[in-house]
Amino acid sequence: MIILKDILYRVRMEAVVGNTGVTINNLHFDSRKVELNDVFIAIRGTLSDGHDYIQKAIEKGALVVICEELPEQIINGVTYVQVDDSKKALAYMSSNYFENPSEKLKLVGVTGTNGKTTIATLLYNLFTKAGFKVGLLSTVRVMVADKEYSAIRTTPDSITINSYLKEMNEEGVEFCFMEVSSHGIAQHRTTALEFAGGIFTNLSHDHLDYHKDFAEYRDVKKRFFDELPASSFALTNVDDKNGEVMLQNTRAKKYTYALKSYADYQAQILENQFTGLLLKINEQEVWSKLIGNFNAYNVLAIYATAELLGLETMESLKIISELNSVSGRFQYVVSDNEQITAIVDYAHTPDALKNVLETINAIRTKNEELITVVGCGGDRDKTKRPKMGHIASALSTKVIFTSDNPRTEDPEKIIEDVEAGVQPQNFKKTMSITNRKQAIKTACQLAGKNDIILIAGKGHETYQEVNGERHDFDDLQIVKEFLKQQNK
């Protein structure tokens, strides 16, 4: 039995109409899901305003309405709670409703533009191999110990987060690693969660369709660290120019990691090959199956986090050497006859694409072709499109521009935006094939012995989103099929 007043703890209320001593069932911010004696929280979103659906929620049985603005018509028997911020209210109420589950395990948030999924997933794998029950909230999947759920978005809503954390409590989970997106922070989805630590990876051009400029994007990320408690740790990449900024106002214990700068946790790349990395971390050598400079940062971050959470150093290093790459992150296959290497990577920002291409160029002999297949998503930040075109054409020997997830945009118009960034000297390297499957097939046909194909942008995604519909599409499976055909 849950009493309304018990889940209003820490919620900033401006007015109450009705009885807060009522017994309630579930919390909802979607009026379509409301049932008898539920609480409806009216959220103002970018596309719709929950305040417009208060009457509908009441008709469906809502006993309580949480809103920023009281409706003109007050229904007798319904309790109305006016708050200063519905998103914050939802966060606190969700945490209270599920009995503050984040306080009963060690929750670590990972934020930044690139590397969130890799770091969170590798930490989940590392601590699982170390014998702990572990949780994971990531873009790719949600794990409650060994039980898997599909992920819908990078940072789920507050109700979903707390329901998973509650299930983790019930399963005896000790550690949970969570991707924290800028959208999640801005919309207070992580507010009211008790974090044991926070990790900052890097900051580059992304989500400027949502945030008005880069400064706002940076400051939203910083807010995550500003809100960390004194009992937690804040671990930041100081090779990134915004790394120190993240630590400026945090109460958490401050730690740094870097490859180029002085830091608490430092690494040096001794070997960088397609088979993996040999790193020297704080005078200890470790081999990792992960590839490239950007993964050296990821390995360093998980090593530091493991130590900060109390894992023994030699055990941590041993397990790190056993960890495999994350789905859709520099996954590669090699064809049997021609030894063509096809790499699939989620790189969908200019910085991530640059990192992957520079990694490949650092390893390859330059006697082989590097053929890149890349596009940009529709209904997203348009300013990064020409940058992606410039980077792909400058750092590859051949480029095929193609469709990514066009969503509601014309895919050919998106490709034109990407092509606008190609400099004249690189124009002859490029071609455009709107159909992504045909683009991958063409890359395979163009590739000769020992050549390298990079298919960027979608990584782990097994669909292509066109006009609101998702169609089955898996880059890795498709390139495997075409390479297999060439082997015959």
Side-chain angles (χ1 to χ4, degrees):
M1 189 169 74
I2 298 173
I3 309 298
L4 175 61
K5 65 181 179 183
D6 293 338
I7 64 167
L8 290 172
Y9 175 60
R10 294 191 293 174
V11 174
R12 292 180 62 178
M13 294 177 283
E14 298 189 348
V16 176
V17 179
N19 181 12
T20 60
V22 294
T23 303
I24 56 99
N25 287 335
N26 296 308
L27 307 181
H28 292 292
F29 56 87
D30 184 341
S31 61
R32 294 168 295 186
K33 296 179 180 178
V34 171
E35 294 181 357
L36 190 64
N37 295 338
D38 284 348
V39 178
F40 174 64
I41 300 101
I43 302 286
R44 286 195 167 101
T46 50
L47 299 176
S48 64
D49 185 348
H51 291 75
D52 297 335
Y53 299 93
I54 289 174
Q55 187 59 39
K56 182 184 174 185
I58 292 170
E59 288 169 4
K60 295 198 74 176
L63 182 63
V64 179
V65 172
I66 310 294
C67 52
E68 293 175 11
E69 196 175 313
L70 290 171
E72 291 180 11
Q73 185 183 7
I74 300 295
I75 308 295
N76 193 31
V78 174
T79 300
Y80 299 83
V81 180
Q82 185 181 2
V83 297
D84 69 329
D85 189 320
S86 292
K87 295 186 182 83
K88 277 188 182 178
L90 175 63
Y92 285 117
M93 291 176 74
S94 300
S95 184
N96 293 333
Y97 180 89
F98 290 102
E99 300 175 309
N100 302 301
S102 62
E103 296 175 6
K104 297 165 188 168
L105 46 70
K106 288 187 176 177
L107 177 64
V108 176
V110 188
T111 196
T113 305
N114 303 312
K116 296 188 295 295
T117 301
T118 297
I119 290 172
T121 305
L122 291 177
L123 282 167
Y124 167 83
N125 293 337
L126 192 160
F127 277 77
T128 299
K129 282 177 176 285
F132 296 97
K133 282 195 172 184
V134 192
L136 172 68
L137 295 168
S138 84
T139 304
V140 179
R141 58 185 180 150
V142 173
M143 298 296 298
V144 178
D146 55 0
K147 188 175 182 181
E148 183 172 348
Y149 298 91
S150 59
I152 298 172
R153 54 174 67 90
T154 305
T155 308
D157 62 82
S158 300
I159 298 171
T160 304
I161 292 170
N162 282 282
S163 67
Y164 281 132
L165 292 175
K166 174 70 171 177
E167 188 180 339
M168 290 178 198
N169 290 168
E170 291 166 351
E171 291 295 322
V173 166
E174 296 173 69
F175 299 93
C176 177
F177 302 101
M178 173 181 177
E179 287 187 54
V180 177
S181 68
S182 59
H183 291 70
I185 300 165
Q187 295 171 15
H188 294 287
R189 296 180 207 157
T190 53
T191 298
L193 297 177
E194 183 80 15
F195 283 93
I199 304 166
F200 170 73
T201 62
N202 49 63
L203 209 60
S204 64
H205 192 117
D206 201 15
H207 299 309
L208 299 192
D209 54 320
Y210 181 82
H211 305 286
K212 63 182 180 183
D213 54 33
F214 187 83
E216 183 188 288
Y217 176 49
R218 178 200 63 213
D219 291 346
V220 166
K221 293 284 190 187
K222 182 180 179 299
R223 196 172 83 200
F224 171 68
F225 293 91
D226 292 349
E227 294 174 355
L228 288 175
S231 58
S232 66
F233 67 82
L235 175 67
T236 190
N237 172 10
V238 286
D239 280 346
D240 187 283
K241 62 184 179 183
N242 292 290
E244 292 281 8
V245 175
M246 298 297 145
L247 301 181
Q248 282 174 358
N249 300 317
T250 188
R251 293 171 295 158
K253 300 174 191 72
K254 301 174 183 179
Y255 298 92
T256 56
Y257 68 98
L259 296 182
K260 303 170 187 172
S261 314
Y262 175 79
D264 298 307
Y265 296 93
Q266 285 184 286
Q268 180 185 356
I269 299 173
L270 303 179
E271 290 182 30
N272 184 9
Q273 306 166 7
F274 272 127
T275 50
L277 287 165
L278 180 62
L279 299 174
K280 191 178 198 178
I281 302 177
N282 286 7
E283 303 307 314
Q284 297 280 354
E285 287 191 12
V286 61
W287 175 261
S288 170
K289 296 177 187 177
L290 278 69
I291 302 159
N293 284 29
F294 60 97
N295 271 321
Y297 283 103
N298 295 334
V299 171
L300 185 54
I302 67 168
Y303 170 86
T305 304
E307 183 170 292
L308 292 170
L309 290 174
L311 210 60
E312 199 273 322
T313 300
M314 294 315 294
E315 181 183 17
S316 178
L317 289 170
K318 177 181 177 294
I319 297 171
I320 285 171
S321 69
E322 299 169 357
L323 297 175
N324 294 311
S325 63
V326 176
S327 173
R329 271 64 177 176
F330 216 98
Q331 277 188 290
Y332 69 94
V333 292
V334 182
S335 69
D336 293 335
N337 295 344
E338 296 294 307
Q339 294 294 292
I340 297 166
T341 301
I343 301 162
V344 171
D345 194 272
Y346 188 52
H348 63 285
T349 66
D351 190 52
L353 183 63
K354 183 170 180 278
N355 283 339
V356 172
L357 285 168
E358 285 182 345
T359 290
I360 296 168
N361 281 318
I363 297 169
R364 74 187 186 95
T365 64
K366 308 296 189 295
N367 293 319
E368 63 288 273
E369 298 281 320
L370 170 51
I371 305 164
T372 298
V373 179
V374 67
C376 285
D379 302 333
R380 297 293 186 269
D381 181 5
K382 294 182 180 181
T383 61
K384 71 181 180 183
R385 292 174 186 173
K387 294 180 182 182
M388 297 281 280
H390 167 64
I391 290 164
S393 58
L395 297 177
S396 310
T397 51
K398 289 190 179 80
V399 180
I400 304 172
F401 296 125
T402 189
S403 183
D404 190 289
N405 289 322
R407 299 183 177 89
T408 64
E409 281 195 72
D410 177 354
E412 294 188 5
K413 178 67 178 72
I414 297 172
I415 291 171
E416 285 177 19
D417 291 344
V418 176
E419 288 176 326
V422 178
Q423 294 185 345
Q425 69 269 26
N426 295 321
F427 183 73
K428 287 186 178 179
K429 295 182 187 179
T430 71
M431 66 177 78
S432 299
I433 301 173
T434 306
N435 183 294
R436 191 173 181 92
K437 188 171 184 178
Q438 188 62 43
I440 294 171
K441 182 180 181 180
T442 303
C444 293
Q445 291 170 336
L446 289 172
K449 191 174 179 62
N450 298 322
D451 285 350
I452 299 164
I453 300 167
L454 171 65
I455 306 167
K458 289 177 57 57
H460 64 280
E461 293 178 350
T462 55
Y463 60 84
Q464 192 170 31
E465 191 174 334
V466 183
N467 290 321
E469 288 187 26
R470 289 188 173 188
H471 307 272
D472 289 344
F473 199 99
D474 186 327
D475 283 352
L476 190 63
Q477 289 306 314
I478 287 167
V479 75
K480 278 181 181 178
E481 287 169 17
F482 285 133
L483 289 177
K484 194 173 180 181
Q485 287 173 18
Q486 285 188 210
N487 283 332
K488 291 178 181 177

